[in-house]
Each structure stands twice: as structure tokens, then as C-alpha cells.
Amino acid sequence: MKQYEFWFIVGSQSLYGPEVLDTVAKRAAEMAEKLSEVLPCPLVYKVTAKTSREVAGVVKEANFDDNCAGIITWCHTFSPSKMWINGLVNLQKPWCHFATQYNREIPNEEIDMDFMNLNQAAHGDREHGFIGARLRMPRKIIAGYWQDGKVQKRIGDWMKAAVGVAVSKSMKVMRFGDNMREVAVTEGDKVEVQAKLGWQVNTWAVGDLVKEMNAVTEAEIDGLMAQYQAQYDMATDKLDHVRYQAREEIAMKKMLDAEGCMAFSNTFQDLYGMEQLPGLASQHLMAQGYGYGGEGDWKVSAMTAIMKAMGENGNGASLFMEDYTYHLAEGQEYSLGAHMLEVCPCCAAGRPRIETHHLGIGMNEKDPARLVFEGKEGDAIVVSLVDMGGRLRLICQDIHCVKPIMPMPNLPVARVMWQAEPSLTTGVECWIAAGGAHHTVLSYDVTAEQMKDWCTMMDVEFVHIGRDTTVESFEKELFYNDIAWKLKEL
């Protein structure tokens, strides 16, 4: 995973003289250094901006630096906001306005007019905030003392969302074949998505993959089999079936890496020349940070890769998921999520098992090998990105993953069970009203607030189903959003 950095740009003006400006610069450098010790990405102090030229210059530099994933601004002293206009109107990176101050408390004995001239963040950040509002700039506003743990966590969470933007801007998706026939929600405007989100989504023939598979050597397969046996329990004696999955994985990885793709999709309706639907192959690729979408669902594939990059250590517990069936016993309502074969082991509660079983869908001359496990417990979200025609909408729902309430011994797939907020039925009604897909990204690492931040940065509609959501309020939100977004298009 590429190491991104964020730039710390501090606002002031020349009115206060060189001594004050020197103090501001030293404090800004100290703050950046100490914050870098606790934040997920380095915070690099760049400049104490005093003129329009300095602001415009550092913004231009940030726009063209691939390592810079965003800027954080703070006004230690009063920084006239008109000098920020020429820079901010051209800003192409995520922006966090950090409203803080160097000192935690007012020093009763020391405070005098010299102190007041130096420590003017209280009204400097309000002046700075006005120009952001006046320019209608998307930005994250975080207020609080810079050494407080809660404040630092909020900055860190925002950084991870901004990393998701950087990953999105360079996202390439490899589609093996087309979408599953007649399915609506997996379709979408790829030109609009590339213009707005940066995704390059293109198709490679399954025949190209088969050709690459035929070139895989037995030695390469032996090496990957050793990895499988080190990471998973081998619960099948059909090793030739497992080796075929290894052949598929090696070939897909070679093609993905050659094209710089971090996400892929396939469909069981287009496996010509293959003996198995990739199961274990797709799962092990996802464990390495690649995104996946079943039935040709390129949107969920890209979102899986992006949310993995936003997670812990750049590949958190975010995974391709599908709502499969419900448990509707009164007072015990649960969703069971699974897929035919392809659930990432990053969510496994224990050590996954490699099993082989018959699959009646697709071209499967050999029983496909797959990882079987139960998902871990914990709070999580599920998200779905859908094309509403003219705009994208991201639906996010809070869930609580639980240990499955029954063993389901005859279900030979990975599975996750959860309770939905505010309840299963209300959540389902809201999800359906918003047009949410049956494919989702489930994440234990990424939060609803981070996805809201990502949507703000990417100019994507965001709707959230949580503890306090009602069908009536949610339907009104969708109605007003529809009007607002149509007005934006005028």
C-alpha cells in the first residue's frame, strides 16, 4: 500500500512582524511532528501562508504531488480570508479545516495583548471558515484541542477517508466478461464514474484469462499451495481441485498487476474454457487487498478495494457481501450474508477451512474449492453504491455482526450473520426505498462518518440508515435529496 502524506498549511499575515511569524512557524512544525506520531499518515508542515501568492503556490504544489492525499489548514493568528480565494478555488485535494489552538488553556497570569496578538485562532478560524462557506467548498471541519485523543482520532479517520479518495482516483477495474444477464443494479454509467470518481472500468475476455492460466507452471502452483496450507486448514482430499483454484489465482493476479488493476469482477454465466468458478482464488486475492464483485458488479468491486485501503494498515476487514436470506423469528430477526463462494477471509472468526463441494451454477467440471468459515462478531456497516441516473448514491447502514445462531452444517460457504439498525424490517424498507443493491461492501473497520466524508469529497449523495432512522423520515430525506441534486445539475 502506498504511503500517503497530508500537508499542514497554517494561516497568518505579515501584520504581526517577524518575531510572531517565527513563533507561529515553530509551533506549527512542532504540532505536525507530534501529530504525525499518532496519525495513520504523516502530517507535513509546509508553510505559514501570509499572502495570496503563498496560498495559491502551495495549493498548486499539493494538486500535482501524488503523495499528498489532502491538506489540513489552521489559522494560528488572524488570516484574512480573501488571500485564500485564488488557492482554494483551484484545490483538487480533500480539505480539512482544523479549528484548534496551540495552548489548551488561557494562562491567567501571562495573558496580555502580546499573547492575544499571537493566539488568535478563535477568530482566525472563523474568518477562514467564512471563505470556505462562501465558496461552497466541500471540507471537513474538526474543532478541539490538538493533543486530545478524540480529536486526533477524528483527524485520523478523515485521513483514511481521504486515502480512499486517492485510491479511487487511480482505481482500475478488470472485468472478466460482462455482467450477469438482465440484472439492473450492476449496470451503470462508466464514463460518468470515470469523470467523477476516477475509475477506469474495462473488460478482458475470459479467453485471455484461460490463455494466462495455461501458461502457469506447476512450480508456481506448488508455491501458492504452500501458502494455502500455511494460512488455512485443508479439509479436502481433492487437491487437484484446489490446485486448479491456485492456477486461476496466479493467472488473475498476473493480469491484474500487469494492468495496474486493484479490483476485478466475473460472472458464472461467462466461464467459457474454465473448469471452475474462481472461489478460493477470489477469496485469497481479496485477502491481499484486491476488490471483487460477483455477477460482473464492477461498482461493488471498486468500492471493496477502496474501503480495504481505508481500513487498518491499508487492508482492513472490508469485504464483498450479499444479503442472502433472513431469520424472521419474532424478537430474533437476523440477516444471513454469504455468496456462492467469494467471501474474503479478513472477517473470519477462526481459521478458515478449504473445502470442495458441488456447485450447480456455472461451468464446474471440478467441484470448486472455497474457504468456509463464520464471520467474527462486532459493529460494522454495509454500503451500496448505485447509479441513480445523473448521479451516484451511496447507501450506508449500521449493523451488529453476531456469531451465527445455528451451525448450518449443510451450507458449505463462508457466512456472516448480523442484526440491522434500527431493526431488520425498518432497515429493509429503507434500503429498498433508496434503491440499495443486493451486493454490498461490509466493513468492520470503516465507519459511517468516514463514508460520509468520502462522499463529500467525491460529490456523491450519501444516505445513512441508523439507530434513529424511521421509514417516514428516510423517505422525506430521499425526496428532498432528489430535488436538491436535480437543482445542482441545472
Side-chain angles (χ1 to χ4, degrees):
M1 176 75 182
K2 180 177 179 178
Q3 179 62 64
Y4 292 97
E5 64 185 29
F6 290 79
W7 289 5
F8 194 33
I9 304 171
V10 179
S12 186
Q13 59 179 321
S14 299
L15 176 68
Y16 304 108
E19 185 176 345
V20 167
L21 292 174
D22 182 61
T23 300
V24 170
K26 288 178 179 178
R27 288 180 174 181
E30 175 194 346
M31 291 168 66
E33 181 179 0
K34 288 184 177 180
L35 285 168
S36 293
E37 295 173 359
V38 296
L39 295 175
C41 299
L43 181 61
V44 180
Y45 168 60
K46 294 299 287 187
V47 67
T48 298
K50 304 169 290 297
T51 66
S52 178
R53 176 176 292 184
E54 286 181 315
V55 174
V58 73
V59 167
K60 182 178 181 181
E61 187 182 352
N63 286 341
F64 288 94
D65 192 313
D66 291 337
N67 295 317
C68 176
I71 66 168
I72 297 178
T73 61
W74 167 56
C75 295
H76 190 306
T77 51
F78 192 77
S79 183
S81 63
K82 284 180 67 177
M83 77 181 201
W84 288 83
I85 295 173
N86 288 0
L88 291 178
V89 294
N90 293 314
L91 180 63
Q92 298 172 15
K93 297 290 178 77
W95 171 24
C96 174
H97 178 180
F98 187 24
T100 188
Q101 62 184 31
Y102 180 77
N103 55 298
R104 182 188 291 273
E105 300 172 353
I106 296 173
N108 181 50
E109 298 295 330
E110 298 174 22
I111 189 167
D112 56 17
M113 288 310 300
D114 288 337
F115 180 92
M116 296 284 276
N117 285 336
L118 177 61
N119 297 278
Q120 297 188 39
H123 64 292
D125 278 317
R126 292 173 189 246
E127 168 77 357
H128 192 56
F130 165 74
I131 205 61
R134 175 64 177 80
L135 297 175
R136 273 66 171 181
M137 294 284 293
R139 66 207 191 278
K140 179 75 170 182
I141 302 169
I142 298 177
Y145 188 54
W146 63 279
Q147 295 194 60
D148 283 347
K150 291 181 179 179
V151 171
Q152 293 169 350
K153 185 180 185 308
R154 290 190 69 202
I155 296 172
D157 287 348
W158 174 83
M159 280 183 166
K160 291 178 181 178
V163 166
V165 171
V167 171
S168 179
K169 294 295 186 180
S170 60
M171 177 60 59
K172 296 179 72 175
V173 181
M174 180 173 288
R175 302 171 66 221
F176 294 109
D178 205 345
N179 293 2
M180 179 180 174
R181 292 186 284 276
E182 304 294 351
V183 178
V185 78
T186 56
E187 298 287 353
D189 187 338
K190 300 182 188 70
V191 173
E192 178 66 17
V193 163
Q194 184 166 347
K196 181 175 287 289
L197 306 183
W199 302 357
Q200 298 178 54
V201 183
N202 292 297
T203 301
W204 274 256
V206 176
D208 293 334
L209 175 57
V210 172
K211 182 179 178 180
E212 193 68 50
M213 287 168 56
N214 292 336
V216 174
T217 67
E218 293 301 314
E220 289 176 303
I221 295 174
D222 290 340
L224 187 51
M225 287 290 288
Q227 291 184 41
Y228 290 164
Q229 290 171 331
Q231 296 173 355
Y232 314 122
D233 290 337
M234 191 68 69
T236 179
D237 57 2
K238 297 179 180 179
L239 295 185
D240 58 326
H241 297 215
V242 182
R243 290 180 69 87
Y244 193 83
Q245 289 286 325
R247 181 181 295 276
E248 291 178 321
E249 178 184 338
I250 292 165
M252 287 192 290
K253 190 174 190 307
K254 285 181 178 179
M255 293 180 67
L256 289 166
D257 292 349
E259 297 293 336
C261 296
M262 280 304 298
F264 67 103
S265 67
N266 57 23
T267 173
F268 61 85
Q269 290 181 328
D270 192 354
L271 298 174
Y272 188 78
M274 301 174 68
E275 297 181 5
Q276 289 183 3
L277 175 67
L280 171 60
S282 296
Q283 291 173 297
H284 195 242
L285 283 170
M286 281 187 277
Q288 299 168 61
Y290 295 91
Y292 171 77
E295 289 89 65
D297 194 340
W298 49 272
K299 294 192 293 297
V300 78
S301 169
M303 286 306 305
T304 302
I306 290 166
M307 292 176 68
K308 279 182 173 292
M310 291 168 60
E312 190 68 23
N313 299 318
N315 182 15
S318 297
L319 53 140
F320 168 67
M321 183 49 63
E322 179 172 278
D323 289 72
Y324 239 88
T325 191
Y326 302 132
H327 187 74
L328 293 174
E330 188 172 356
Q332 290 185 311
E333 292 89 359
Y334 298 93
S335 285
L336 177 64
H339 206 252
M340 291 186 297
L341 303 176
E342 313 94 344
V343 174
C344 178
C346 65
C347 73
R351 185 175 166 94
R353 305 180 308 279
I354 297 178
E355 300 183 11
T356 54
H357 299 275
H358 175 69
L359 183 66
I361 297 177
M363 303 168 66
N364 295 291
E365 297 175 27
K366 293 182 171 70
D367 294 340
R370 79 292 303 270
L371 296 174
V372 179
F373 56 86
E374 290 183 349
K376 63 184 180 180
E377 301 176 65
D379 292 340
I381 59 172
V382 285
V383 305
S384 172
L385 183 72
V386 294
D387 189 330
M388 295 301 294
R391 74 177 188 276
L392 297 167
R393 168 183 288 165
L394 189 131
I395 304 115
C396 175
Q397 183 176 23
D398 298 330
I399 63 172
H400 309 283
C401 297
V402 302
K403 178 178 173 55
I405 62 174
M406 56 191 72
M408 296 172 277
N410 296 313
L411 183 64
V413 295
R415 77 290 304 263
V416 182
M417 184 169 275
W418 65 83
Q419 295 173 308
E421 290 284 11
S423 68
L424 189 146
T425 52
T426 298
V428 167
E429 291 177 18
C430 292
W431 190 272
I432 290 174
H438 56 289
H439 291 160
T440 63
V441 184
L442 187 154
S443 180
Y444 295 81
D445 283 356
V446 181
T447 66
E449 183 177 2
Q450 286 176 295
M451 293 314 302
K452 181 177 183 293
D453 288 341
W454 184 85
C455 287
T456 298
M457 298 172 196
M458 302 302 290
D459 193 29
V460 170
E461 179 190 0
F462 175 84
V463 291
H464 183 208
I465 305 169
R467 181 181 59 187
D468 299 324
T469 301
T470 65
V471 173
E472 292 79 8
S473 65
F474 193 73
E475 287 178 340
K476 286 181 180 179
E477 181 181 358
L478 294 176
F479 176 75
Y480 292 133
N481 281 6
D482 202 38
I483 294 173
W485 281 84
K486 286 178 180 177
L487 288 174
K488 284 182 67 174
E489 297 164 11
L490 296 178

